[in-house]
Each structure stands twice: as structure tokens, then as C-alpha cells.
Amino acid sequence: PQLKKSESEESRTARRQTIIFLRLIVVTLAVCWMPNQVRRIMAAAKPKHDWTKTYFRAYMILLPFSDTFFYLSSIINPLLYNVSSQQFRRVFGQVLRCHLTLPHANHSKHLR
């Protein structure tokens, strides 16, 4: 009975860490994508001929921030996975060295 309790505690801890990690990813992506979404909504909300000088200025100020944060999300995402998963680090390193040794999950299905 003692063994099952420790397994249960381990799985609870793993589940808790996974939930924290997923929340971190969602919040990070939301923050990174929000300026781009605001810019897209601004472009769609008013026809261009109705834009005021202030509206256009706000749009142009937002443009470099939205692009920067949007592309930053593609950098942050692998870093977050790198921090959270030892297997991701191992496979990512293999991919960077062009020497992937880990078999694909469906490898045995393809052999049949």
C-alpha cells in the first residue's frame, strides 16, 4: 500500500507541474500574440478611408511591437519546452546536430 501512495504522489506532482507549464505557455503566447491581434482588429474595425490621423499613428506605433512580439513567441516556445522537458532537450539537441537517434513513435507501425 505504501508504494501506491508514493506513485500517486508522484503522478500528482507531475500533473501539477504539467498544468503550471501549460498555463505558462498559454499566458506567454497570449502576451506575445495580443499586440498582433489588436493590430488586426484595428485594421478590420474601420475602413482605411475612415482612419483619423490619431488612429493611423496608433496603428503605426503598434506595428513594430506586434511584429516583434509575434516572432518572439516562436523563440520563447522552444525555450519553455527546453526548460520543462529533458526528452525535448535531448531530441532538440539531436535535431540541431542533424543526428536524430530517437525512433519516431510510429516507427514500428511503418515496419509492418
Side-chain angles (χ1 to χ4, degrees):
Q2 196 64 271
L3 183 60
K4 286 188 176 190
K5 185 177 181 184
S6 67
E7 287 176 352
S8 166
E9 188 62 36
E10 286 175 11
S11 68
R12 270 190 242 138
T13 301
R15 187 179 311 115
R16 202 173 303 125
Q17 288 175 344
T18 302
I19 291 170
I20 289 170
F21 174 67
L22 289 175
R23 285 181 181 162
L24 180 62
I25 287 178
V26 168
V27 167
T28 302
L29 292 179
V31 167
C32 286
W33 291 357
M34 189 62 64
N36 193 48
Q37 296 305 321
V38 169
R39 184 180 61 89
R40 290 179 66 209
I41 290 170
M42 286 178 72
K46 284 186 174 187
K48 294 243 192 293
H49 63 283
D50 288 343
W51 286 19
T52 62
K53 193 181 241 183
T54 306
Y55 195 85
F56 179 72
R57 189 174 299 138
Y59 183 86
M60 292 308 290
I61 289 171
L62 187 58
L63 189 62
F65 291 105
S66 68
D67 288 346
T68 302
F69 275 92
F70 186 73
Y71 290 111
L72 185 64
S73 72
S74 65
I75 296 169
I76 291 175
N77 205 17
L79 292 176
L80 289 175
Y81 278 99
N82 190 23
V83 167
S84 72
S85 170
Q86 187 176 17
Q87 182 179 3
F88 180 86
R89 282 192 296 275
R90 190 169 50 249
V91 172
F92 190 72
Q94 290 175 2
V95 168
L96 287 178
R97 290 188 308 273
C98 298
H99 189 263
L100 185 61
T101 60
L102 197 71
H104 190 275
N106 294 328
H107 181 70
S108 61
K109 290 180 185 176
H110 292 293
L111 294 177
R112 291 183 203 155

